Amino acid sequence: YILYLAVNDQIRSQGYGTRIINELRHLYPEDSLALDVEQPNPQAANNQQRLRRLKFYRRNGFFPTPKLFKEEKVTFQVLATNKKINQRKIDKAFEWFSWPLGWLIQ
């Protein structure tokens, strides 16, 4: 599970994000990579940014999954490099990241 992927805005759009994803795929060839993105929402102030992120991940081999989760005012959708994901593994990842002590109870 990729918790957060960011490229410095001064060097963005130069292929670094794609290279990072390709390296992760190389390091973990047996696993489906998964991450979450803010769902597009025409009412959101950053909707264009959300659409660009989704397009970037789709272009790099990620597929939308049915897994959604809400955090305060934003709904996130999980994307994965396999069209079918192991829902139990994704749920366990979310449990691990849950605050404040999810990682301690594993």
Side-chain angles (χ1 to χ4, degrees):
Y1 195 87
I2 301 169
L3 183 60
Y4 192 76
L5 176 64
V7 174
N8 184 312
D9 60 349
Q10 294 178 356
I11 58 170
R12 200 169 291 147
S13 297
Q14 296 181 29
Y16 290 105
T18 296
R19 285 190 247 172
I20 292 167
I21 290 170
N22 288 339
E23 183 64 21
L24 289 169
R25 288 181 122 166
H26 176 75
L27 290 170
Y28 304 101
E30 302 298 318
D31 296 319
S32 176
L33 301 179
L35 52 82
D36 58 73
V37 294
E38 294 171 299
Q39 262 196 326
N41 177 348
Q43 281 73 45
N46 69 339
N47 193 51
Q48 290 303 314
Q49 184 182 51
R50 294 177 185 201
L51 292 168
R52 283 193 308 273
R53 277 191 199 119
L54 184 57
K55 184 177 177 181
F56 167 78
Y57 288 120
R58 296 290 304 258
R59 189 173 59 242
N60 281 282
F62 285 81
F63 301 96
T65 72
K67 177 72 175 174
L68 301 174
F69 67 94
K70 289 189 177 212
E71 202 171 274
E72 293 184 30
K73 300 176 186 174
V74 179
T75 299
F76 292 88
Q77 180 170 24
V78 174
L79 307 178
T81 53
N82 288 341
K83 288 185 179 181
K84 291 187 179 184
I85 60 169
N86 182 325
Q87 187 67 47
R88 201 168 122 241
K89 280 187 175 183
I90 294 295
D91 289 342
K92 282 189 97 42
F94 280 102
E95 287 173 20
W96 192 89
F97 288 117
S98 66
W99 184 255
L101 301 173
W103 56 275
L104 282 176
I105 59 175
Q106 295 298 315

